[in-house]
Amino acid sequence: MLVSAFIGTSQAQSIQAAAPKTHQVVTPATYKGKQIVVGSGGGFTGFSTTYYLLDNGQIYGKRNRDTTFTLIGKQTAANTKRAFTVIETKCQIKTTQFNNPGNTYQFVQWRQGGQRYKVAWGEPGKTVPPDYPRFFDSFMAMIPATLQVK
């Protein structure tokens, strides 16, 4: 099962909270390595929230109304590697074609430099490839509620 293969319950709280910093050199906007981007939004307000896992383990969050990224913490090297393995191998994001966001939506994206592969869902009646909602839930489980951007 993807959830247990991705993150075990004991590992869900292994993220280390970031110390507040006034200046961030690396952000998802400037990072050259691989990134997993997970987000959701829509509805009446149209707001969205997006989380970024860099292949160096750093996790950032951003709401669409924010002008800067919030460094949330750093994931363990093992969990970071596992997340990239699952999205690239099990989910096969580079070859999956599914873009059906609805009024409310969720998405998973893989990117590196100019390469971007995205799967989005939320439109009623469309069958989502089953690995993606499980990946989304597993990814969100590794960010404690107290550290999620509000």
Side-chain angles (χ1 to χ4, degrees), residues 22-73:
T22 56
H23 178 62
Q24 293 296 324
V25 176
V26 175
T27 69
T30 60
Y31 192 67
K32 303 294 184 211
K34 295 190 293 187
Q35 300 180 44
I36 295 173
V37 185
V38 172
S40 62
F44 178 73
T45 63
F47 288 138
S48 65
T49 304
T50 306
Y51 294 95
Y52 304 79
L53 173 63
L54 310 185
D55 63 3
N56 68 6
Q58 289 182 322
I59 298 178
Y60 289 84
K62 188 172 188 254
R63 297 167 299 184
N64 64 332
R65 61 185 182 266
D66 295 340
T67 57
T68 59
F69 295 94
T70 300
L71 177 60
I72 293 172

Side-chain angles (χ1 to χ4, degrees), residues 111-125:
R111 65 186 190 187
Q112 182 177 22
Q115 293 183 317
R116 295 172 192 267
Y117 303 96
K118 183 176 181 180
V119 171
W121 65 94
E123 185 177 338

